[in-house]
Amino acid sequence: MTEYEKGGNPVAKQKNKQQQTQQFQASEEKHETKRPILLNCIKAFLVGGTICFIGQLITTFYIYFFDFTEQTAGNPTTATLIFFTMLLTGFGLYDRIGQFAGAGSAVPVTGFGNAVISSAIEHRTEGFIIGVGTNMFKVAGPVIVYGVFSAFVIALIKVLFQQLGGL
Amino acid sequence: MLLGKQTWIFQNKPVIISTATTGGPFEAEGPLRNDFDRLFDDGWLEESSFEKAQQRLMEEAAEIAIQKSPIDKENVDFFISGDLINQITPSTFSAKTLELPYLGIFSACATSAEGLALSAALINGGFAEYILSGTASHHAATEKQFRFPNDYGAQKPPTAQWTVTGAGCVLLAKSGNGPKITSATIGKVVDMGLTDPFNMGGAMAPAAADTIESHLQDRNIDISYYDVILTGDLGKVGRETSFDLLKRHGINVKDQQYIDSGMTIYSSEQPVHSGASGTACSAIVTYGHFLNRMMKGEFKRILMVATGSLHSPLSVQQKNSIPCIAHAVSIEME
């Protein structure tokens, strides 16, 4: 018995399989509940906007009640927002906000804080060094890596422009 | 005895002499709360890690199953268990506590049916008289390993599923009173090229349909033979997809006959998206809720079809599609 007789024409068989797979994927897609994109965008806009509004209030607070200027109030504002994120994450509330708000709570600095803090909490059971230390940046790490790298590329473009007398 | 291509017929009909289920606080809010033997009001179960909590859920279920049965622990020959956590360590540690000869198995969320089928085969073949078989899963431990940290605020899509915190266990015997295991069909790995780990139901649907079809073919019976086809954890998406597939393959499955464990364990108010998942899902719903109803005489024949998504975080990151499996076990009351 040759290979052909045993399992039929392998090329035709594979084609048939491919067809079946495509057919299945098309029918499966019909049963998938789609993400409500428009609604998600509106929620993200509202929650994200609210977080930024709170940030603005904190900045104004620091400028009026402490010796900060518009340029220097950014750092204490970020620190304050991250502090509250830490509390919300620790009490298990931030992930609920995240499920509702999506990008609205992920994009602001609070989302970055949540990524670091949640990873640190999660791996506490493996100890402070191997657990917390190693895993703290496992979600936020890529943001840092590609954030720094993009900043470098943009700076390079800016310098080139200046050297060429563009600006 | 092998029947057809992939089905075992158990002439000696091993008997489920007792069952036990344990669950966490979220399961206690669900509609099956009265079917649990023990519910814990804290997800940590007073342990120092989620993995240990899962181990505890399994140990408690095993102990309760033995207590509820007419036999002692010394009479149990083997413990067959598996779970979702790396190298199935929670099951291993449970086996250490139980001090029973142990077989560790893995079929992801189809582990419950794999364990039940293997136990029945061993008893039917005369290799054991009493086997304890069960599985546990823990929502937080599974999230940690397969997805994001539990407190990370990522938005899950509507196709995602919620891993059950709990354990289900059966004590199978050569003879006794209770529902009998009459046959089992071992599934093939089916991969239809879906890659989204947040849509496991859709990926597992063809595996479920394939195993059900093979089971009916091998046994040469019509689907109406069973009162209930109880799938593992397909969720809403997977249940509808597999229902469609069966229909298209000419199997006249009825809507009320085709029930999914993943859609049974939680209420519609609980935020579980497409439904429940986890190794404990089919174990709890089958061994707890449905066997209880079977004992009351509501059903005579159930086909338990536990479905498993056999991917790992690594295989998904390396852009592999999701391989799935389903094992079927027929449980009948005489």
Side-chain angles (χ1 to χ4, degrees):
Chain A
M1 192 190 264
T2 66
E3 204 54 43
Y4 277 80
E5 285 165 342
K6 227 180 187 174
N9 184 346
V11 180
K13 212 175 161 188
Q14 198 173 359
K15 226 177 182 175
N16 189 20
K17 182 121 205 216
Q18 218 170 16
Q19 217 170 20
Q20 269 182 7
T21 308
Q22 277 168 355
Q23 224 171 36
F24 168 74
Q25 287 179 359
S27 74
E28 192 274 339
E29 225 186 305
K30 281 184 216 139
H31 294 292
E32 271 181 36
T33 325
K34 301 281 174 294
R35 281 176 188 262
I37 294 177
L38 185 69
L39 185 70
N40 281 354
C41 286
I42 296 168
K43 285 180 186 168
F45 176 77
L46 291 176
V47 176
T50 309
I51 294 172
C52 294
F53 177 66
I54 294 168
Q56 186 57 51
L57 287 180
I58 297 169
T59 305
T60 314
F61 169 80
Y62 280 124
I63 293 171
Y64 273 87
F65 293 96
F66 294 94
D67 198 12
F68 285 107
T69 64
E70 243 177 75
Q71 278 75 39
T72 58
N75 285 341
T77 303
T78 308
T80 311
L81 280 171
I82 289 176
F83 176 78
F84 285 113
T85 305
M86 183 182 73
L87 290 183
L88 288 173
T89 305
F91 286 114
L93 293 172
Y94 203 91
D95 56 319
R96 292 185 193 188
I97 300 172
Q99 182 58 40
F100 175 82
S105 60
V107 174
V109 72
T110 51
F112 185 80
N114 167 252
V116 177
I117 296 154
S118 62
S119 305
I121 295 172
E122 188 85 348
H123 293 280
R124 172 66 192 87
T125 48
E126 290 90 74
F128 280 113
I129 307 294
I130 299 292
V132 177
T134 312
N135 292 293
M136 202 166 181
F137 289 97
K138 76 168 189 182
V139 183
V143 183
I144 299 173
V145 172
Y146 293 103
V148 171
F149 179 68
S150 325
F152 169 73
V153 172
I154 299 293
L156 213 63
I157 293 168
K158 188 187 168 188
V159 169
L160 276 175
F161 249 101
Q162 281 174 337
Q163 292 296 317
L164 294 169
L167 284 169
Chain B
M1 187 183 84
L2 184 69
L3 185 71
K5 281 192 160 172
Q6 56 198 89
T7 300
W8 294 331
I9 292 285
F10 306 121
Q11 297 101 323
N12 301 330
K13 298 181 183 169
V15 188
I16 297 176
I17 54 168
S18 79
T19 65
T21 52
T22 52
F26 195 62
E27 288 63 36
E29 292 171 23
L32 303 193
R33 65 184 80 87
N34 296 328
D35 288 304
F36 285 92
D37 292 285
R38 183 152 188 208
L39 285 162
F40 293 87
D41 51 14
D42 168 37
W44 289 89
L45 277 84
E46 294 168 359
E47 298 290 340
S48 59
S49 70
F50 295 131
E51 291 76 12
K52 277 189 186 155
Q54 182 181 317
Q55 176 194 335
R56 178 84 192 283
L57 286 164
M58 183 69 248
E59 289 168 8
E60 292 278 342
E63 295 286 353
I64 296 168
I66 295 169
Q67 269 170 27
K68 279 167 78 180
S69 77
I71 64 156
D72 292 321
K73 201 172 100 180
E74 287 66 44
N75 301 111
V76 180
D77 300 309
F78 301 103
F79 174 55
I80 301 182
S81 180
D83 60 83
L84 291 169
I85 302 306
N86 290 332
Q87 287 79 39
I88 59 169
T89 47
S91 296
T92 309
F93 285 119
S94 313
K96 186 179 111 179
T97 311
L98 290 167
E99 294 178 312
L100 290 171
Y102 161 65
L103 284 167
I105 55 171
F106 179 81
S107 272
C109 307
T111 302
S112 52
E114 183 186 352
L116 191 58
L118 287 173
S119 307
L122 287 172
I123 290 176
N124 190 66
F127 295 101
E129 284 196 16
Y130 296 100
I131 297 181
L132 198 59
S133 169
T135 179
S137 57
H138 193 291
H139 176 77
T142 312
E143 285 292 307
K144 177 178 179 175
Q145 182 182 305
F146 282 90
R147 296 170 196 111
F148 293 113
N150 282 280
D151 290 313
Y152 179 56
Q155 191 176 42
K156 285 192 178 151
T159 52
Q161 290 172 263
W162 181 282
T163 309
V164 170
T165 300
C169 194
V170 287
L171 184 55
L172 211 60
K174 206 169 141 187
S175 57
N177 289 324
K180 295 190 161 75
I181 311 292
T182 54
S183 69
T185 298
I186 305 302
K188 284 182 279 197
V189 173
V190 178
D191 184 345
M192 292 304 250
L194 295 191
T195 52
D196 183 4
F198 283 107
N199 180 20
M200 295 186 299
M204 293 189 293
D210 186 77
T211 299
I212 294 169
E213 208 179 336
S214 305
H215 179 82
L216 299 176
Q217 252 166 27
D218 285 347
R219 283 195 70 177
N220 195 21
I221 47 174
D222 187 70
I223 196 142
S224 58
Y225 178 83
Y226 291 104
D227 301 317
V228 175
I229 310 282
L230 188 60
T231 54
D233 51 354
L234 294 173
K236 194 167 163 284
V237 179
R239 193 242 173 221
E240 281 165 22
T241 309
S242 57
F243 188 77
D244 224 37
L245 268 175
L246 287 171
K247 284 265 182 206
R248 268 197 284 147
H249 289 198
I251 294 166
N252 193 20
V253 57
K254 303 257 180 332
D255 195 44
Q256 70 273 16
Q257 172 196 26
Y258 197 62
I259 300 171
D260 183 54
S261 305
M263 291 167 73
T264 312
I265 190 163
Y266 298 121
S267 71
S268 53
E269 281 89 55
Q270 289 176 290
V272 297
H273 315 291
S274 185
S277 70
T279 56
C281 181
S282 75
I284 288 171
V285 177
T286 314
Y287 305 158
H289 185 64
F290 276 90
L291 287 192
N292 286 351
R293 287 173 70 182
M294 199 176 206
M295 302 285 267
K296 281 183 207 151
E298 280 186 54
F299 315 111
K300 279 213 161 326
R301 297 167 181 148
I302 293 178
L303 184 67
M304 170 196 195
V305 187
T307 46
S309 172
L310 303 174
H311 68 289
S312 77
L314 189 75
S315 76
V316 170
Q317 280 164 12
Q318 292 179 345
K319 307 275 182 275
N320 290 296
S321 50
I322 298 175
C324 297
I325 198 158
H327 301 301
V329 179
S330 42
I331 307 171
E332 301 183 28
M333 200 76 187
E334 281 172 353

